[in-house]
Amino acid sequence: MKEVVISGNEAIAYGAIYAGCRFFAGYPITPSTDLAEKMSYLLPLNGGVFIQMEDELGSISAIIGASLAGKKAMTATSGPGFSLMQEGLGFASYSEIPIVVADIERVGPSTGIPTYPSQGDVMQTRWGTHGSHPVIVFYPSSVYESYKLTVEAFNYSEKYRTPVILLSDEVIGHMREKVRLVEDLPVIERLKPNVSKEEYLPFDSRYDVPPIANFGEGYRFHITGLTHDETGFPTSDPEKAETLIERLHRKIYKNMDDIGKFEAFYTEDAEYLIISYGATARGAKDAVIELRRKGIKVGLFRPITIWPSLELPLREIADGKKVFVFEMNLGQYVLEVERILKRDVVFFGKENGELITPEEMESCIQKSL
Amino acid sequence: MYTEISLENLRENKLPHIWCAGCGNGIVLGAILRAIERSKIDKDKIVFVSGIGCAGRSSGYVNFNTLHTLHGRPLAFATGIKLANPDLHVIVATGDGDLAAIGGNHFIHTAKRNIDMTVIVFNNFTYGMTGGQVSPTTPDKAYTTTTPFGEIEEPMDISYLAVASGATYVARETIASPFVLEKYILNGIMHKGFSLIEAVSSCVTEFGRRNKLEDPAIYIKWLKDKSIPYSKTNALSVKDGIVVGEFINVEKEEFTEKYYEMVKKVRNEERD
Ligand SMILES: Cc1ncc(C[n+]2csc(CCOP(=O)(O)OP(=O)(O)O)c2C)c(N)n1
Ligand code: SF4
């Protein structure tokens, strides 16, 4: 167990190596670049491949190819680059290729403020592609969690044959903390077929998550981004299209007990509930402690799984409480909270490159007492 | 030497193909399949990657590991495959729009890296799949659905660009000479490094219909008449003609090998 002082982005790199990632393709963009730089060093030393591609479209395409050839693969980017990756993300979701994408947010819209934090990609991670497919998105709130969630991101991508997005922000990405790089976390490998070549169906609908062969292992199969049937070949049959899209949803939503992660901090006796994630949630914790000291019963619900939404736990924990949502954007996750709770909540957000301070949160809550 | 197309290499249950009667794509695909047969490489180790477009549909018909990617991105997917598993032989089928327009950046950079793969570009001077719009290779003054008054941009020469970008094997031939095309593709497959074979093909339905070339035989004759052997021109690109031949065939360090050698070296050093 190594004890080190590293940044959140470096922790993602160490987590990736630990999880068995042996392929990284990326294009530099602040504030994700140091993650790529770390991988360019760690991968060759671990027998893996790092390649700086010509752009983000190429980066995500290359990692999909690498995954099909049998390597655990990832890329890292920030807002504008993430937008360019949407096309590839849709492909990987639909053709069920395990990959991990780290999006270290910066201020937007457009090129925004590259070196300042934001949480403006929350909706982009969910709805950035066209069509209807689920996504898994994790959001760490510390350097250690960046490490651990990266390992889990790879595990979930392999287990559910799907892209997993690791959403982080400039603050979490660049802050340094002393962490123990725990080395007894489980590592999951993709399920491989054990049927004959003739019997193999890359999209076998008898499974929620069909086993996937690697290219070169003798199973000659077809992968396409077009709507496909169980064999992997294009079809425009509405029934087959439905079977596929239903299974894609089923394999994720049926397993929310496994996928849904959150932290509940002082929520049991709380009358007021803050909902906040990532860097913002760190300030929210301070606000909770400070307000509790003043005798105000506040708790914090911190989604770690940002998508799919934590509908059940959120409903349970928010029950009977006045809810406040704080995020570094002008209202994204709050829309989901309102949808789930079916009532108004108090929202405070900014996207000017500044963190929301605990004092701002306290006064927001005190104002509505 | 004449090679049969081995039915084993075709997915017969996926036929008939979607290509129009008289389309040149079948001739190009035939040449690719014969070249693969002659190369004697292990079929399980072939990954046949394609982009989007009529040419891109070819991956569905061939019996290898096949990957039908996104418009413009086949070379980037192929890069990931080759680098992740250098034992695989990567063959890419792409269109002129796919490779040179939306995928132009990947094209330049994949050639620059000299990564081992064989790219066959089905150049039919147009976007066939979307109904005959202008492409980077559309000849001067030609009519397309988006150049109703005739093309005014200079056409791009794909082979020229490949050579300039660092490809180490580049050849061009039209579907009027399918066996020469086959030979070039075979050379490309056997070549270690980035090889590009420009297969000048026909699109009777979309390009042909608008440019007095709707008859497949007349189209092929037109391509033949416009062909000029490289040995006669000494210029890779000429106005109003199609220079055909082998343009470059050189040995240069290949990217994947170089990469894995570096890995070996740094891992040994780290142990010392
Ligand atoms: C991102 C994206 N943009 C546009 C399209 C639409 N599209 C499909 S095929 C095609 C053109 C293909 O032309 P070419 O590569 O020359 O191939 P051909 O059909 O002529 O063989 C276009 C623009 C797409 N599928 N994806
Ligand atoms: S549209 Fe053109 S390129 Fe496409 S199949 Fe028809 S003839 Fe061939």
mmCIF file of all heavy atoms in Angstrom, chain A residues 45 48-50 54-55 58 61-62 65 71 87 91 216 219-224 226 233, chain B residues 11 14 43-45 63 65-66 68 73 76-77 80-81 84 105-106 109 113 259-260 267:
data_model
loop_
_atom_site.group_PDB
_atom_site.id
_atom_site.type_symbol
_atom_site.label_atom_id
_atom_site.label_comp_id
_atom_site.label_asym_id
_atom_site.label_seq_id
_atom_site.Cartn_x
_atom_site.Cartn_y
_atom_site.Cartn_z
ATOM 1 N N LEU A 45 5.910 1.943 -18.981
ATOM 2 C CA LEU A 45 6.556 1.200 -17.881
ATOM 3 C C LEU A 45 5.754 -0.026 -17.487
ATOM 4 O O LEU A 45 6.283 -0.953 -16.885
ATOM 5 C CB LEU A 45 6.738 2.113 -16.660
ATOM 6 C CG LEU A 45 7.739 3.255 -16.837
ATOM 7 C CD1 LEU A 45 7.800 4.111 -15.579
ATOM 8 C CD2 LEU A 45 9.129 2.707 -17.156
ATOM 9 N N GLY A 48 2.072 -0.994 -21.487
ATOM 10 C CA GLY A 48 0.878 -0.529 -22.200
ATOM 11 C C GLY A 48 1.197 0.502 -23.267
ATOM 12 O O GLY A 48 2.365 0.819 -23.516
ATOM 13 N N VAL A 49 0.167 1.026 -23.885
ATOM 14 C CA VAL A 49 0.331 1.952 -25.003
ATOM 15 C C VAL A 49 -0.278 3.311 -24.671
ATOM 16 O O VAL A 49 -1.417 3.396 -24.211
ATOM 17 C CB VAL A 49 -0.367 1.396 -26.273
ATOM 18 C CG1 VAL A 49 -0.315 2.423 -27.400
ATOM 19 C CG2 VAL A 49 0.274 0.092 -26.707
ATOM 20 N N PHE A 50 0.511 4.347 -24.917
ATOM 21 C CA PHE A 50 -0.016 5.715 -24.857
ATOM 22 C C PHE A 50 0.142 6.321 -26.232
ATOM 23 O O PHE A 50 1.193 6.217 -26.849
ATOM 24 C CB PHE A 50 0.776 6.556 -23.850
ATOM 25 C CG PHE A 50 0.445 8.023 -23.945
ATOM 26 C CD1 PHE A 50 -0.565 8.565 -23.163
ATOM 27 C CD2 PHE A 50 1.102 8.863 -24.847
ATOM 28 C CE1 PHE A 50 -0.904 9.910 -23.253
ATOM 29 C CE2 PHE A 50 0.762 10.208 -24.958
ATOM 30 C CZ PHE A 50 -0.236 10.730 -24.159
ATOM 31 N N GLU A 54 -4.595 12.974 -32.994
ATOM 32 C CA GLU A 54 -4.693 14.266 -33.666
ATOM 33 C C GLU A 54 -5.863 15.102 -33.157
ATOM 34 O O GLU A 54 -5.896 16.309 -33.362
ATOM 35 C CB GLU A 54 -4.789 14.068 -35.191
ATOM 36 C CG GLU A 54 -5.823 13.051 -35.665
ATOM 37 C CD GLU A 54 -5.304 11.611 -35.616
ATOM 38 O OE1 GLU A 54 -4.199 11.390 -35.101
ATOM 39 O OE2 GLU A 54 -6.031 10.712 -36.078
ATOM 40 N N ASP A 55 -6.819 14.487 -32.517
ATOM 41 C CA ASP A 55 -7.950 15.217 -31.954
ATOM 42 C C ASP A 55 -8.778 14.266 -31.082
ATOM 43 O O ASP A 55 -8.437 13.089 -30.944
ATOM 44 C CB ASP A 55 -8.827 15.863 -33.055
ATOM 45 C CG ASP A 55 -9.320 14.854 -34.083
ATOM 46 O OD1 ASP A 55 -9.552 13.683 -33.711
ATOM 47 O OD2 ASP A 55 -9.490 15.223 -35.261
ATOM 48 N N GLY A 58 -10.526 11.288 -32.871
ATOM 49 C CA GLY A 58 -9.586 10.189 -33.068
ATOM 50 C C GLY A 58 -9.305 9.469 -31.760
ATOM 51 O O GLY A 58 -9.174 8.243 -31.734
ATOM 52 N N SER A 61 -12.135 7.156 -30.822
ATOM 53 C CA SER A 61 -12.185 6.074 -31.812
ATOM 54 C C SER A 61 -11.077 5.061 -31.550
ATOM 55 O O SER A 61 -11.298 3.851 -31.610
ATOM 56 C CB SER A 61 -12.042 6.637 -33.228
ATOM 57 O OG SER A 61 -13.051 7.581 -33.490
ATOM 58 N N ALA A 62 -9.890 5.563 -31.257
ATOM 59 C CA ALA A 62 -8.750 4.666 -31.036
ATOM 60 C C ALA A 62 -8.969 3.791 -29.798
ATOM 61 O O ALA A 62 -8.631 2.606 -29.809
ATOM 62 C CB ALA A 62 -7.456 5.469 -30.893
ATOM 63 N N GLY A 65 -11.301 0.986 -30.648
ATOM 64 C CA GLY A 65 -10.579 -0.034 -31.411
ATOM 65 C C GLY A 65 -9.703 -0.879 -30.493
ATOM 66 O O GLY A 65 -9.675 -2.108 -30.584
ATOM 67 N N LYS A 71 -7.739 -4.707 -25.106
ATOM 68 C CA LYS A 71 -7.085 -3.932 -24.056
ATOM 69 C C LYS A 71 -8.094 -3.066 -23.305
ATOM 70 O O LYS A 71 -8.987 -2.482 -23.914
ATOM 71 C CB LYS A 71 -6.023 -3.008 -24.681
ATOM 72 C CG LYS A 71 -4.797 -3.733 -25.194
ATOM 73 C CD LYS A 71 -3.801 -3.967 -24.082
ATOM 74 C CE LYS A 71 -2.415 -4.322 -24.539
ATOM 75 N NZ LYS A 71 -2.272 -5.406 -25.487
ATOM 76 N N GLU A 87 -19.896 11.565 -30.482
ATOM 77 C CA GLU A 87 -20.139 10.626 -31.568
ATOM 78 C C GLU A 87 -19.605 9.233 -31.222
ATOM 79 O O GLU A 87 -20.300 8.213 -31.367
ATOM 80 C CB GLU A 87 -19.420 11.224 -32.780
ATOM 81 C CG GLU A 87 -19.402 10.437 -33.996
ATOM 82 C CD GLU A 87 -18.439 10.959 -35.040
ATOM 83 O OE1 GLU A 87 -17.261 11.249 -34.737
ATOM 84 O OE2 GLU A 87 -18.862 11.042 -36.195
ATOM 85 N N PHE A 91 -21.398 5.506 -30.189
ATOM 86 C CA PHE A 91 -20.997 4.257 -30.840
ATOM 87 C C PHE A 91 -20.676 3.188 -29.798
ATOM 88 O O PHE A 91 -21.141 2.054 -29.880
ATOM 89 C CB PHE A 91 -19.775 4.511 -31.741
ATOM 90 C CG PHE A 91 -19.351 3.317 -32.538
ATOM 91 C CD1 PHE A 91 -19.759 3.166 -33.855
ATOM 92 C CD2 PHE A 91 -18.545 2.311 -31.987
ATOM 93 C CE1 PHE A 91 -19.378 2.057 -34.604
ATOM 94 C CE2 PHE A 91 -18.166 1.202 -32.718
ATOM 95 C CZ PHE A 91 -18.582 1.079 -34.036
ATOM 96 N N GLY A 216 -9.370 -11.260 -33.184
ATOM 97 C CA GLY A 216 -8.137 -12.057 -33.276
ATOM 98 C C GLY A 216 -8.209 -13.366 -32.517
ATOM 99 O O GLY A 216 -7.272 -14.154 -32.562
ATOM 100 N N TYR A 219 -13.189 -15.756 -33.195
ATOM 101 C CA TYR A 219 -14.616 -15.478 -33.414
ATOM 102 C C TYR A 219 -14.668 -14.347 -34.426
ATOM 103 O O TYR A 219 -14.236 -13.236 -34.135
ATOM 104 C CB TYR A 219 -15.282 -15.008 -32.120
ATOM 105 C CG TYR A 219 -15.335 -16.051 -31.051
ATOM 106 C CD1 TYR A 219 -14.340 -16.136 -30.084
ATOM 107 C CD2 TYR A 219 -16.396 -16.940 -31.005
ATOM 108 C CE1 TYR A 219 -14.386 -17.099 -29.095
ATOM 109 C CE2 TYR A 219 -16.452 -17.907 -30.011
ATOM 110 C CZ TYR A 219 -15.442 -17.984 -29.054
ATOM 111 O OH TYR A 219 -15.504 -18.930 -28.080
ATOM 112 N N ARG A 220 -15.181 -14.626 -35.585
ATOM 113 C CA ARG A 220 -15.231 -13.540 -36.573
ATOM 114 C C ARG A 220 -16.603 -12.898 -36.502
ATOM 115 O O ARG A 220 -17.577 -13.461 -36.987
ATOM 116 C CB ARG A 220 -14.954 -14.077 -37.962
ATOM 117 C CG ARG A 220 -13.555 -14.659 -38.084
ATOM 118 C CD ARG A 220 -13.229 -14.920 -39.535
ATOM 119 N NE ARG A 220 -12.222 -15.963 -39.664
ATOM 120 C CZ ARG A 220 -12.027 -16.631 -40.796
ATOM 121 N NH1 ARG A 220 -12.773 -16.384 -41.860
ATOM 122 N NH2 ARG A 220 -11.084 -17.552 -40.850
ATOM 123 N N PHE A 221 -16.677 -11.775 -35.904
ATOM 124 C CA PHE A 221 -17.973 -11.127 -35.737
ATOM 125 C C PHE A 221 -17.940 -9.717 -36.281
ATOM 126 O O PHE A 221 -16.881 -9.191 -36.630
ATOM 127 C CB PHE A 221 -18.405 -11.169 -34.268
ATOM 128 C CG PHE A 221 -17.422 -10.525 -33.317
ATOM 129 C CD1 PHE A 221 -17.661 -9.262 -32.800
ATOM 130 C CD2 PHE A 221 -16.263 -11.186 -32.936
ATOM 131 C CE1 PHE A 221 -16.752 -8.661 -31.922
ATOM 132 C CE2 PHE A 221 -15.354 -10.596 -32.060
ATOM 133 C CZ PHE A 221 -15.602 -9.334 -31.565
ATOM 134 N N HIS A 222 -19.111 -9.112 -36.339
ATOM 135 C CA HIS A 222 -19.254 -7.789 -36.944
ATOM 136 C C HIS A 222 -19.741 -6.800 -35.903
ATOM 137 O O HIS A 222 -20.651 -7.103 -35.133
ATOM 138 C CB HIS A 222 -20.281 -7.880 -38.083
ATOM 139 C CG HIS A 222 -20.405 -6.626 -38.902
ATOM 140 N ND1 HIS A 222 -19.351 -6.055 -39.567
ATOM 141 C CD2 HIS A 222 -21.479 -5.826 -39.168
ATOM 142 C CE1 HIS A 222 -19.758 -4.971 -40.221
ATOM 143 N NE2 HIS A 222 -21.047 -4.806 -39.986
ATOM 144 N N ILE A 223 -19.113 -5.636 -35.887
ATOM 145 C CA ILE A 223 -19.545 -4.569 -34.981
ATOM 146 C C ILE A 223 -19.908 -3.364 -35.840
ATOM 147 O O ILE A 223 -19.160 -2.986 -36.745
ATOM 148 C CB ILE A 223 -18.398 -4.182 -34.010
ATOM 149 C CG1 ILE A 223 -18.045 -5.331 -33.070
ATOM 150 C CG2 ILE A 223 -18.752 -2.921 -33.227
ATOM 151 C CD1 ILE A 223 -18.989 -5.544 -31.909
ATOM 152 N N THR A 224 -21.051 -2.769 -35.563
ATOM 153 C CA THR A 224 -21.469 -1.579 -36.313
ATOM 154 C C THR A 224 -22.191 -0.617 -35.385
ATOM 155 O O THR A 224 -22.747 -1.042 -34.360
ATOM 156 C CB THR A 224 -22.394 -1.968 -37.492
ATOM 157 O OG1 THR A 224 -22.820 -0.762 -38.154
ATOM 158 C CG2 THR A 224 -23.642 -2.721 -37.026
ATOM 159 N N LEU A 226 -24.663 1.006 -36.557
ATOM 160 C CA LEU A 226 -26.048 0.944 -37.039
ATOM 161 C C LEU A 226 -26.849 0.047 -36.092
ATOM 162 O O LEU A 226 -26.288 -0.801 -35.406
ATOM 163 C CB LEU A 226 -26.099 0.335 -38.449
ATOM 164 C CG LEU A 226 -25.517 1.166 -39.589
ATOM 165 C CD1 LEU A 226 -25.364 0.310 -40.837
ATOM 166 C CD2 LEU A 226 -26.392 2.375 -39.883
ATOM 167 N N PHE A 233 -25.255 -7.700 -37.054
ATOM 168 C CA PHE A 233 -25.427 -7.134 -38.396
ATOM 169 C C PHE A 233 -26.607 -6.161 -38.421
ATOM 170 O O PHE A 233 -27.557 -6.305 -37.647
ATOM 171 C CB PHE A 233 -25.597 -8.238 -39.432
ATOM 172 C CG PHE A 233 -24.305 -8.934 -39.707
ATOM 173 C CD1 PHE A 233 -23.957 -10.076 -39.001
ATOM 174 C CD2 PHE A 233 -23.415 -8.417 -40.634
ATOM 175 C CE1 PHE A 233 -22.738 -10.702 -39.212
ATOM 176 C CE2 PHE A 233 -22.193 -9.041 -40.858
ATOM 177 C CZ PHE A 233 -21.850 -10.184 -40.150
ATOM 178 N N ARG B 11 -19.500 -13.397 -46.606
ATOM 179 C CA ARG B 11 -20.623 -13.826 -45.781
ATOM 180 C C ARG B 11 -21.815 -13.960 -46.733
ATOM 181 O O ARG B 11 -22.540 -12.995 -46.999
ATOM 182 C CB ARG B 11 -20.904 -12.781 -44.707
ATOM 183 C CG ARG B 11 -19.838 -12.761 -43.628
ATOM 184 C CD ARG B 11 -20.049 -11.623 -42.683
ATOM 185 N NE ARG B 11 -19.138 -11.707 -41.549
ATOM 186 C CZ ARG B 11 -18.550 -10.657 -40.988
ATOM 187 N NH1 ARG B 11 -18.761 -9.446 -41.447
ATOM 188 N NH2 ARG B 11 -17.758 -10.806 -39.947
ATOM 189 N N LYS B 14 -25.231 -12.609 -46.204
ATOM 190 C CA LYS B 14 -25.442 -11.153 -46.221
ATOM 191 C C LYS B 14 -25.610 -10.633 -47.641
ATOM 192 O O LYS B 14 -25.750 -9.431 -47.863
ATOM 193 C CB LYS B 14 -24.270 -10.432 -45.541
ATOM 194 C CG LYS B 14 -24.095 -10.792 -44.080
ATOM 195 C CD LYS B 14 -25.304 -10.379 -43.243
ATOM 196 C CE LYS B 14 -25.340 -11.191 -41.970
ATOM 197 N NZ LYS B 14 -26.677 -11.207 -41.357
ATOM 198 N N LYS B 43 -6.702 -15.751 -41.608
ATOM 199 C CA LYS B 43 -7.947 -14.960 -41.703
ATOM 200 C C LYS B 43 -8.455 -14.527 -40.322
ATOM 201 O O LYS B 43 -9.090 -13.492 -40.179
ATOM 202 C CB LYS B 43 -9.043 -15.761 -42.408
ATOM 203 C CG LYS B 43 -8.624 -16.355 -43.739
ATOM 204 C CD LYS B 43 -8.616 -15.326 -44.844
ATOM 205 C CE LYS B 43 -7.893 -15.842 -46.083
ATOM 206 N NZ LYS B 43 -8.358 -17.141 -46.597
ATOM 207 N N ASP B 44 -8.149 -15.340 -39.313
ATOM 208 C CA ASP B 44 -8.593 -14.974 -37.965
ATOM 209 C C ASP B 44 -7.859 -13.751 -37.437
ATOM 210 O O ASP B 44 -8.276 -13.134 -36.470
ATOM 211 C CB ASP B 44 -8.377 -16.141 -36.991
ATOM 212 C CG ASP B 44 -9.440 -17.225 -37.186
ATOM 213 O OD1 ASP B 44 -10.540 -16.887 -37.663
ATOM 214 O OD2 ASP B 44 -9.152 -18.392 -36.881
ATOM 215 N N LYS B 45 -6.731 -13.444 -38.083
ATOM 216 C CA LYS B 45 -5.940 -12.299 -37.613
ATOM 217 C C LYS B 45 -6.200 -11.042 -38.437
ATOM 218 O O LYS B 45 -5.556 -10.011 -38.234
ATOM 219 C CB LYS B 45 -4.434 -12.632 -37.655
ATOM 220 C CG LYS B 45 -4.056 -13.806 -36.777
ATOM 221 C CD LYS B 45 -4.131 -13.439 -35.297
ATOM 222 C CE LYS B 45 -3.854 -14.660 -34.425
ATOM 223 N NZ LYS B 45 -4.465 -14.540 -33.090
ATOM 224 N N ASN B 63 -15.902 -12.101 -44.549
ATOM 225 C CA ASN B 63 -15.904 -12.999 -43.393
ATOM 226 C C ASN B 63 -14.599 -12.950 -42.586
ATOM 227 O O ASN B 63 -13.829 -13.903 -42.572
ATOM 228 C CB ASN B 63 -16.191 -14.428 -43.873
ATOM 229 C CG ASN B 63 -16.426 -15.364 -42.716
ATOM 230 O OD1 ASN B 63 -16.768 -14.940 -41.623
ATOM 231 N ND2 ASN B 63 -16.211 -16.646 -42.959
ATOM 232 N N ASN B 65 -12.824 -10.598 -38.914
ATOM 233 C CA ASN B 65 -13.257 -9.727 -37.820
ATOM 234 C C ASN B 65 -13.584 -8.407 -38.493
ATOM 235 O O ASN B 65 -12.718 -7.829 -39.171
ATOM 236 C CB ASN B 65 -12.122 -9.491 -36.824
ATOM 237 C CG ASN B 65 -11.576 -10.784 -36.259
ATOM 238 O OD1 ASN B 65 -12.199 -11.395 -35.409
ATOM 239 N ND2 ASN B 65 -10.426 -11.212 -36.771
ATOM 240 N N THR B 66 -14.795 -7.912 -38.340
ATOM 241 C CA THR B 66 -15.152 -6.715 -39.100
ATOM 242 C C THR B 66 -15.725 -5.625 -38.207
ATOM 243 O O THR B 66 -16.436 -5.890 -37.247
ATOM 244 C CB THR B 66 -16.154 -7.048 -40.214
ATOM 245 O OG1 THR B 66 -17.245 -7.784 -39.655
ATOM 246 C CG2 THR B 66 -15.499 -7.842 -41.316
ATOM 247 N N HIS B 68 -17.512 -1.807 -38.593
ATOM 248 C CA HIS B 68 -18.127 -0.738 -39.378
ATOM 249 C C HIS B 68 -18.201 0.471 -38.459
ATOM 250 O O HIS B 68 -18.979 0.466 -37.509
ATOM 251 C CB HIS B 68 -19.527 -1.227 -39.798
ATOM 252 C CG HIS B 68 -20.285 -0.284 -40.666
ATOM 253 N ND1 HIS B 68 -21.623 -0.013 -40.447
ATOM 254 C CD2 HIS B 68 -19.925 0.440 -41.748
ATOM 255 C CE1 HIS B 68 -22.052 0.833 -41.372
ATOM 256 N NE2 HIS B 68 -21.052 1.123 -42.168
ATOM 257 N N ARG B 73 -13.926 8.071 -39.368
ATOM 258 C CA ARG B 73 -13.060 7.621 -38.274
ATOM 259 C C ARG B 73 -12.390 6.259 -38.454
ATOM 260 O O ARG B 73 -11.722 5.803 -37.522
ATOM 261 C CB ARG B 73 -13.824 7.590 -36.947
ATOM 262 C CG ARG B 73 -14.752 8.741 -36.708
ATOM 263 C CD ARG B 73 -14.063 10.006 -36.225
ATOM 264 N NE ARG B 73 -14.973 11.115 -36.435
ATOM 265 C CZ ARG B 73 -14.718 12.173 -37.193
ATOM 266 N NH1 ARG B 73 -13.532 12.313 -37.767
ATOM 267 N NH2 ARG B 73 -15.610 13.119 -37.372
ATOM 268 N N ALA B 76 -8.753 5.965 -37.318
ATOM 269 C CA ALA B 76 -8.507 6.139 -35.879
ATOM 270 C C ALA B 76 -8.875 4.864 -35.117
ATOM 271 O O ALA B 76 -8.150 4.432 -34.227
ATOM 272 C CB ALA B 76 -9.282 7.338 -35.356
ATOM 273 N N PHE B 77 -9.976 4.245 -35.474
ATOM 274 C CA PHE B 77 -10.330 2.949 -34.865
ATOM 275 C C PHE B 77 -9.227 1.939 -35.182
ATOM 276 O O PHE B 77 -8.782 1.182 -34.321
ATOM 277 C CB PHE B 77 -11.656 2.413 -35.431
ATOM 278 C CG PHE B 77 -12.911 2.995 -34.823
ATOM 279 C CD1 PHE B 77 -13.387 4.241 -35.212
ATOM 280 C CD2 PHE B 77 -13.642 2.293 -33.876
ATOM 281 C CE1 PHE B 77 -14.557 4.768 -34.665
ATOM 282 C CE2 PHE B 77 -14.811 2.812 -33.323
ATOM 283 C CZ PHE B 77 -15.267 4.053 -33.727
ATOM 284 N N GLY B 80 -6.136 2.208 -33.054
ATOM 285 C CA GLY B 80 -6.315 1.595 -31.734
ATOM 286 C C GLY B 80 -6.161 0.087 -31.795
ATOM 287 O O GLY B 80 -5.514 -0.522 -30.935
ATOM 288 N N ILE B 81 -6.734 -0.514 -32.814
ATOM 289 C CA ILE B 81 -6.678 -1.976 -32.951
ATOM 290 C C ILE B 81 -5.241 -2.446 -33.137
ATOM 291 O O ILE B 81 -4.754 -3.337 -32.445
ATOM 292 C CB ILE B 81 -7.546 -2.433 -34.145
ATOM 293 C CG1 ILE B 81 -9.026 -2.149 -33.859
ATOM 294 C CG2 ILE B 81 -7.310 -3.910 -34.460
ATOM 295 C CD1 ILE B 81 -9.921 -2.272 -35.073
ATOM 296 N N ALA B 84 -3.029 -1.862 -30.096
ATOM 297 C CA ALA B 84 -3.393 -2.701 -28.949
ATOM 298 C C ALA B 84 -2.961 -4.141 -29.182
ATOM 299 O O ALA B 84 -2.582 -4.839 -28.250
ATOM 300 C CB ALA B 84 -4.893 -2.634 -28.693
ATOM 301 N N ASN B 105 -8.102 14.650 -41.277
ATOM 302 C CA ASN B 105 -7.074 14.797 -40.254
ATOM 303 C C ASN B 105 -6.513 13.437 -39.830
ATOM 304 O O ASN B 105 -5.304 13.275 -39.669
ATOM 305 C CB ASN B 105 -7.674 15.527 -39.047
ATOM 306 C CG ASN B 105 -6.617 16.183 -38.198
ATOM 307 O OD1 ASN B 105 -5.533 16.479 -38.671
ATOM 308 N ND2 ASN B 105 -6.935 16.406 -36.936
ATOM 309 N N HIS B 106 -7.397 12.464 -39.665
ATOM 310 C CA HIS B 106 -6.918 11.129 -39.277
ATOM 311 C C HIS B 106 -6.036 10.542 -40.381
ATOM 312 O O HIS B 106 -5.058 9.870 -40.124
ATOM 313 C CB HIS B 106 -8.092 10.182 -38.998
ATOM 314 C CG HIS B 106 -9.074 10.739 -38.010
ATOM 315 N ND1 HIS B 106 -8.700 11.207 -36.780
ATOM 316 C CD2 HIS B 106 -10.423 10.911 -38.092
ATOM 317 C CE1 HIS B 106 -9.777 11.640 -36.136
ATOM 318 N NE2 HIS B 106 -10.831 11.479 -36.909
ATOM 319 N N HIS B 109 -2.519 12.043 -40.309
ATOM 320 C CA HIS B 109 -1.731 11.646 -39.135
ATOM 321 C C HIS B 109 -1.452 10.145 -39.086
ATOM 322 O O HIS B 109 -0.408 9.731 -38.582
ATOM 323 C CB HIS B 109 -2.402 12.150 -37.861
ATOM 324 C CG HIS B 109 -2.264 13.629 -37.728
ATOM 325 N ND1 HIS B 109 -1.194 14.216 -37.101
ATOM 326 C CD2 HIS B 109 -3.025 14.636 -38.214
ATOM 327 C CE1 HIS B 109 -1.307 15.531 -37.187
ATOM 328 N NE2 HIS B 109 -2.413 15.808 -37.858
ATOM 329 N N ARG B 113 2.399 8.661 -39.089
ATOM 330 C CA ARG B 113 2.947 7.710 -38.104
ATOM 331 C C ARG B 113 3.572 6.489 -38.777
ATOM 332 O O ARG B 113 4.291 5.735 -38.153
ATOM 333 C CB ARG B 113 1.838 7.204 -37.183
ATOM 334 C CG ARG B 113 1.384 8.205 -36.194
ATOM 335 C CD ARG B 113 0.298 7.670 -35.275
ATOM 336 N NE ARG B 113 -0.318 8.820 -34.661
ATOM 337 C CZ ARG B 113 -1.571 9.225 -34.858
ATOM 338 N NH1 ARG B 113 -2.381 8.533 -35.615
ATOM 339 N NH2 ARG B 113 -2.013 10.312 -34.289
ATOM 340 N N TYR B 259 7.150 1.556 -31.160
ATOM 341 C CA TYR B 259 6.531 1.784 -29.854
ATOM 342 C C TYR B 259 6.893 0.651 -28.892
ATOM 343 O O TYR B 259 7.340 0.886 -27.773
ATOM 344 C CB TYR B 259 5.006 1.922 -29.961
ATOM 345 C CG TYR B 259 4.453 2.449 -28.662
ATOM 346 C CD1 TYR B 259 4.341 3.816 -28.460
ATOM 347 C CD2 TYR B 259 4.145 1.594 -27.605
ATOM 348 C CE1 TYR B 259 3.922 4.325 -27.239
ATOM 349 C CE2 TYR B 259 3.729 2.085 -26.389
ATOM 350 C CZ TYR B 259 3.605 3.451 -26.212
ATOM 351 O OH TYR B 259 3.209 3.935 -25.008
ATOM 352 N N TYR B 260 6.704 -0.574 -29.348
ATOM 353 C CA TYR B 260 6.950 -1.698 -28.452
ATOM 354 C C TYR B 260 8.437 -1.884 -28.136
ATOM 355 O O TYR B 260 8.790 -2.381 -27.072
ATOM 356 C CB TYR B 260 6.298 -2.977 -28.993
ATOM 357 C CG TYR B 260 4.806 -3.001 -28.683
ATOM 358 C CD1 TYR B 260 3.876 -2.506 -29.591
ATOM 359 C CD2 TYR B 260 4.337 -3.471 -27.465
ATOM 360 C CE1 TYR B 260 2.510 -2.488 -29.295
ATOM 361 C CE2 TYR B 260 2.975 -3.459 -27.149
ATOM 362 C CZ TYR B 260 2.074 -2.973 -28.075
ATOM 363 O OH TYR B 260 0.742 -2.953 -27.769
ATOM 364 N N ARG B 267 11.355 -0.513 -19.896
ATOM 365 C CA ARG B 267 11.070 -1.468 -18.819
ATOM 366 C C ARG B 267 12.362 -2.121 -18.340
ATOM 367 O O ARG B 267 12.534 -2.365 -17.160
ATOM 368 C CB ARG B 267 10.094 -2.546 -19.290
ATOM 369 C CG ARG B 267 8.742 -1.971 -19.646
ATOM 370 C CD ARG B 267 7.727 -3.047 -19.831
ATOM 371 N NE ARG B 267 7.048 -3.328 -18.578
ATOM 372 C CZ ARG B 267 6.200 -4.343 -18.419
ATOM 373 N NH1 ARG B 267 5.963 -5.171 -19.408
ATOM 374 N NH2 ARG B 267 5.600 -4.518 -17.269
#
